[in-house]
DNA sequence: GTCTATACTTTGATAGAC
DNA sequence: GTCTATCAAAGTATAGAC
């Protein structure tokens, strides 16, 4: 078997939950997309939809973090890396018809006040992103507190632009947010290096 | 009748859709919250859940805009007004146990790729917010293009901070985003007045 | 591990009396 | 305009054969 059933179910889950949310995605829909039998789901995920979603969120968050870290590693410096991330996000939005943006934001907002298990999963993902970006900013000479604030603001700009760009079906918000993120980072780095 | 049935249904809808999303909110739940009979919904909203949600989104967006414009009007200058908006958002998050943030973001992400009617409703709301803020920035001497970029970035920071603050159950992201929004606005206004 | 069939619940929506 | 009763469909989850 090329890809095993469990992985196909997770793949389909990541895509559907990201695009349609938790409540908006049916289990039957996931299984149809994954070309898997109904019983397979409960064989691999005895906890049902909740367990499946939690694992989809955590792996999806880790995959997106890897993607971003790859872009940052490939860039000559941190500032260029941030520019590249926003440009890449804009391109992905355009290429997917404004469907694929943040892999977990839709679910995060949906479950924040209703499902503590899933809320924790989304919180762990965001916390990991913030920590990773903060570390990179600290490593170029910025103090911890300032770096944390810049990391959070950069991710907030990215997430907010995802909301606006998907809704308005335009890359303009992503581009504008990228500009502001770049300027904010430039200002912080300039201060740190003086 | 103190408040009429139609308005009670809309009130409950605005709250529930904002906190739990579109697919995650049941019509029966709305009617229970509104203390309204089942048939009343289809009397006032023949289009059913979709029509109800569209009206809830549009009115909710308009109400939030009025709230923000009130804060901006009360401030001595635009920069202070922006600071006040982020501080107010942080306080509301804290006071509601991180439940009430953007009234339409959850639904916006959910329906962006699945329901064109509702997507258009959320898009109209965001477009109205962007236009209103852009106008205010232009009115203090900033050119149209720069003002649009700053308005979009400010709203993106607010929306992104809503996602992070609700998920992490912390006002830290909202405060950090407010700082960055303030600095971005200060830089633009400084340039415009020179 | 996978298939088919099905139980049980909830959902959105409608009909008809009043 | 509101009430009660009810429908058909979709939702999640389980059972048992293979």
């Amino acid at each position: 078997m090329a890809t095993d059933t469990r992985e196909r179910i997770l793949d389909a889950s990541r895509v559907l939950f990201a695009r349609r949310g938790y409540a908006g995605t049916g289990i039957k829909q996931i299984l149809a997309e994954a070309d898997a039998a109904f019983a397979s789901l409960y064989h691999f995920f005895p906890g049902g939809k909740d367990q499946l979603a939690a694992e989809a969120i955590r792996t999806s968050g880790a995959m997106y973090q890897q993607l971003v870290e790859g872009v940052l590693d490939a860039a000559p410096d941190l500032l260029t890396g941030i520019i590249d991330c926003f440009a890449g996000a804009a391109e992905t939005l355009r290429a997917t018809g404004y469907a694929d943006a943040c892999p977990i934001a839709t679910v995060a907002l949906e479950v924040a006040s209703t499902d503590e298990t899933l809320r924790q999963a989304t919180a762990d993902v965001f916390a990991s992103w913030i920590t990773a970006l903060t570390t990179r900013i600290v490593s170029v000479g910025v103090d911890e507190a300032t770096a944390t604030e810049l990391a959070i603001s950069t991710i907030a700009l990215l997430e907010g632009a995802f909301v606006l760009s998907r809704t308005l079906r335009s890359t303009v918000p992503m581009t504008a947010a990228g500009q502001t993120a770049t300027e904010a980072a430039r200002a912080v780095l300039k201060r740190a290096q003086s």
Side-chain angles (χ1 to χ4, degrees), chain A residues 79 82 86 150 153-154 157 173-187:
Chain A
L79 205 59
I82 291 174
F86 279 85
L150 179 61
S153 292
T154 303
L157 274 164
M174 186 56 69
T175 305
Q179 283 288 335
T180 299
T182 305
E183 282 158 32
R186 184 178 291 126

Side-chain angles (χ1 to χ4, degrees), chain A residues 121-132:
Chain A
T122 57
D124 289 347
V125 169
F126 283 135
S128 173
W129 292 2
I130 291 169
T131 300

Side-chain angles (χ1 to χ4, degrees), chain A residues 165-185:
Chain A
S165 279
R166 280 196 74 197
T167 302
L168 296 172
R169 290 190 167 275
S170 160
T171 55
V172 168
M174 186 56 69
T175 305
Q179 283 288 335
T180 299
T182 305
E183 282 158 32

